[in-house]
Amino acid sequence: MIKTLLCKVMNLPTFYERKQIVTPGDLLAENDYVAGDNTYKENGKIYATRVGLVDYDNREVFVVALKAFYVPFIGDVVIGKVTEVSLGVWLLDIKAPYPAVLRASDAFNRPFKPQRDEMPSIFDVGDLVIAKIVAYDRTRDPLLTVSDLGLGKIKRGQIVEITPTKIPRVIGRQGSMITMLKQETGCQITVGQNGVILVSGKSPEDEQLAVMAIRKIGEEAHTSGLTDRITEMIKNEKRDVEHA
Amino acid sequence: MPKKKTKKLIDKNGVRIDGRELNKLRPIKLEVGILDNADGSAYIEQGKNKILVGVYGPKEVHPKHLAISDRALLRCRYHMAPFSVQERKSPAPSRRERELSKVIKEALQPAIFVKYYPRTSIELFIEVLQADGGTRCASLTAASLALADAGIPMRDLVAACAAGKVEGHLALDLNDTEDKEGEADLPVAWIPTLNAVTLLQMDGKVTLEEFEQLVNMAIEGCKQIYPLQKEALKAKYIAVKEEVKE
């Protein structure tokens, strides 16, 4: 029963092969398909809304965007920069359309008392902070927390920024890419879902190597055989360093 | 001594002063993502027009009271560089620039999913580096590419093209001389999947039949521009793909 249904679905018209580049307004599929990410349906026709790679999953048609900005999502770990310290809250730039709010009571772990607590001594303007989104909807700005393991101020390391839609490629299937990166470069890597990545290693050279690799992933995310190419690149770079 | 009109704009074979036929566009060059600091950008050369477009956003609205609670605010500035025309243009925004900013914004708005990002602003900056007639259309063509490059979700790209009447002939995509000395100019912006016209202006005089012909002619022009836009958007990524294959 399911099989016949699937066959029926397969026979419905689609206008692009999987992983083909599409642009806004391209007609992707008709009739019974469901409009997934970066698509919209009008009069039974599904169109792309962003530049990206089209893909089909069962009845769902979606586009993996090649460039997009970060949209907050509850539970995401992000890396943000403190832009404002005001009474009781910090405002952070998390590369999203909205500024993120971090409450002082959350960082102090008790009610905030203005006469006693010095907010800049915890986070000051310009500080980079790893935080998690705890609340967000279209009427309110995203709310952050730092009271969890691995969250808080960044003290050392280097920052790389890539388009947030490419974060899944940095992590890889079941974390294959990130595990490989960590192993080969010996760096600790913290991935913010907003496209900001922290790399901290034993030496600046190690960090530089990891940064280079991540940048390459960002540029070539839409091509196949990426993990192998990155592994090869890191090995070549390492060999060059040893010879030098 | 009054200047004598020496050259006819269209010769007896229907060839225009720049050597084009009546129904031909000027050569168009489009590039996407050429500015590093803007969220999205595009550059267009259409004949002698050279226009650069940069996009920021969606981001917080400043001043805050301008924010709209159920959709994004689209802001647009069309600006001509002082050196864009033969006689130095004052860099202060003129009446014409304000008008063009407004009509360009309104022509793009239906193509953008502004409801997705309430309380934000999308800012569009159009700089005309060199003008040679039909800059509002060229600006629109480039602006929709810059928006797509910024990753802003859109129903479709917007293509724009003008048509006009020169010495009694209907012609596509007028250049500066034809626009100034001809009888009429009619710019049109068109959204292909919606089959909607989002900008239609006209100056000069035409008959009702000619008007209809001109609108159709301009839409035909848009149909020629649209594939070029798609190609330009893809070109940026296809280049990387091919580099990798080698």
Side-chain angles (χ1 to χ4, degrees):
Chain A
M1 168 69 189
I2 292 171
K3 240 181 191 171
T4 52
L5 206 78
L6 266 179
C7 286
K8 250 186 198 166
V9 168
M10 294 304 194
N11 287 333
L12 286 172
T14 56
F15 299 95
Y16 287 89
E17 283 170 36
R18 294 184 67 180
K19 309 269 179 195
Q20 238 185 317
I21 297 185
V22 293
T23 58
D26 279 345
L27 179 59
L28 305 177
E30 273 178 353
N31 301 327
D32 278 349
Y33 280 97
V34 179
D37 283 353
N38 301 319
T39 64
Y40 73 102
K41 197 170 188 178
E42 218 159 71
N43 303 325
K45 288 174 176 165
I46 296 177
Y47 302 94
T49 64
R50 278 194 171 122
V51 184
L53 306 179
V54 67
D55 213 338
Y56 305 90
D57 180 14
N58 230 338
R59 292 183 53 196
E60 195 189 359
V61 185
F62 58 96
V63 172
V64 181
L66 285 168
K67 198 174 161 193
F69 41 86
Y70 175 66
V71 178
F73 189 78
I74 294 173
D76 275 3
V77 171
V78 295
I79 297 177
K81 191 187 232 169
V82 179
T83 56
E84 217 178 295
V85 187
S86 53
L87 199 70
V89 291
W90 288 277
L91 289 185
L92 279 82
D93 174 16
I94 55 164
K95 305 263 156 199
Y98 310 97
V101 178
L102 176 62
R103 288 199 185 123
S105 53
D106 181 271
F108 286 107
N109 231 338
R110 57 178 160 72
F112 170 67
K113 284 211 179 101
Q115 59 276 53
R116 181 183 59 192
D117 299 324
E118 283 283 335
M119 285 182 65
S121 67
I122 309 282
F123 303 126
D124 205 351
V125 172
D127 283 351
L128 289 164
V129 179
I130 306 173
K132 194 151 92 184
I133 295 174
V134 283
Y136 166 70
D137 61 48
R138 52 184 281 135
T139 64
R140 276 181 309 169
D141 290 338
L143 183 69
L144 301 174
T145 179
V146 286
S147 53
D148 211 342
L149 207 65
L151 305 182
K153 183 146 99 182
I154 294 172
K155 296 195 174 98
R156 51 184 291 271
Q158 289 189 44
I159 290 288
V160 211
E161 279 175 34
I162 61 167
T163 295
T165 50
K166 287 166 184 171
I167 288 294
R169 292 305 300 249
V170 174
I171 293 167
R173 200 164 288 157
Q174 277 147 14
S176 60
M177 183 72 91
I178 193 96
T179 320
M180 184 278 287
L181 277 177
K182 282 177 183 166
Q183 242 167 33
E184 293 291 328
T185 62
C187 289
Q188 276 199 326
I189 300 172
T190 310
V191 180
Q193 290 297 322
N194 60 339
V196 186
I197 299 165
L198 170 71
V199 177
S200 59
K202 289 188 196 80
S203 69
E205 288 76 26
D206 287 352
E207 287 175 358
Q208 207 50 48
L209 188 57
V211 169
M212 259 174 67
I214 292 167
R215 285 228 176 92
K216 196 176 164 74
I217 298 170
E219 275 159 28
E220 298 176 9
H222 58 296
T223 58
S224 51
L226 190 59
T227 312
D228 294 341
R229 242 182 5 262
I230 298 294
T231 320
E232 200 180 316
M233 186 205 95
I234 293 175
K235 282 193 174 135
N236 285 343
E237 288 291 326
K238 269 187 179 165
R239 201 180 320 127
D240 289 352
V241 171
E242 271 163 33
H243 280 293
Chain B
M1 199 174 83
K3 219 177 179 180
K4 214 180 118 195
K5 207 169 158 187
T6 48
K7 207 180 167 193
K8 279 191 75 180
L9 292 175
I10 295 173
D11 73 4
K12 56 184 184 297
N13 301 323
V15 176
R16 299 201 243 166
I17 41 168
D18 51 8
R20 277 187 292 159
E21 286 163 44
L22 287 172
N23 61 348
K24 285 272 162 22
L25 291 168
R26 288 172 283 183
I28 296 177
K29 189 181 130 194
L30 286 165
E31 264 180 79
V32 171
I34 58 165
L35 300 177
D36 279 341
N37 295 338
D39 294 331
S41 58
Y43 175 68
I44 183 171
E45 279 180 22
Q46 185 167 5
K48 285 180 190 157
N49 285 320
K50 292 183 177 172
I51 300 165
L52 196 51
V53 184
V55 172
Y56 286 95
K59 60 183 176 111
E60 265 189 286
V61 189
H62 283 292
K64 265 193 170 143
H65 70 269
L66 291 177
I68 312 167
S69 56
D70 68 341
R71 65 194 137 98
L73 172 72
L74 182 63
R75 287 203 274 200
C76 174
R77 188 189 77 156
Y78 167 97
H79 183 247
M80 290 178 97
F83 49 78
S84 63
V85 278
Q86 289 215 323
E87 201 71 23
R88 173 190 180 269
K89 188 213 149 279
S90 156
S94 63
R95 195 226 96 239
R96 180 179 166 275
E97 283 169 304
R98 279 166 213 239
E99 176 199 318
L100 293 202
S101 302
K102 181 179 179 289
V103 296
I104 289 173
K105 180 189 82 183
E106 286 169 3
L108 289 169
Q109 187 128 350
I112 303 172
F113 286 98
V114 280
K115 298 255 167 172
Y116 283 11
Y117 307 102
R119 298 175 292 115
T120 62
S121 78
I122 298 167
E123 288 184 52
L124 198 64
F125 297 97
I126 299 166
E127 282 294 323
V128 178
L129 305 178
Q130 185 169 289
D132 187 38
T135 51
R136 78 192 68 192
C137 291
S139 301
L140 258 166
T141 303
S144 69
L145 287 187
L147 285 167
D149 180 49
I152 292 165
M154 296 167 82
R155 276 175 225 281
D156 201 350
L157 302 171
V158 184
C161 186
K165 191 176 168 190
V166 185
E167 290 179 347
H169 299 273
L170 302 189
L172 188 67
D173 191 18
L174 304 190
N175 64 27
D176 196 43
T177 337
E178 290 171 328
D179 182 14
K180 288 209 172 88
E181 295 180 21
E183 289 97 288
D185 181 34
L186 181 135
V188 169
W190 183 63
I191 305 183
T193 57
L194 303 176
N195 193 18
V197 170
T198 58
L199 169 99
L200 190 126
Q201 295 184 298
M202 188 179 80
D203 59 5
K205 276 185 194 158
V206 290
T207 66
L208 197 58
E209 293 90 76
E210 281 171 338
F211 173 78
E212 270 177 37
Q213 281 175 13
L214 282 177
V215 172
N216 288 327
M217 205 169 176
I219 290 178
E220 281 308 310
C222 295
K223 280 181 186 165
Q224 288 175 44
I225 291 172
Y226 187 61
L228 300 176
Q229 288 178 296
K230 298 214 147 188
E231 211 176 286
L233 269 179
K234 288 175 189 172
K236 190 174 147 191
Y237 298 100
I238 287 171
V240 176
K241 216 169 187 177
E242 270 163 13
E243 207 174 276
V244 166
K245 265 183 196 157
E246 275 162 14

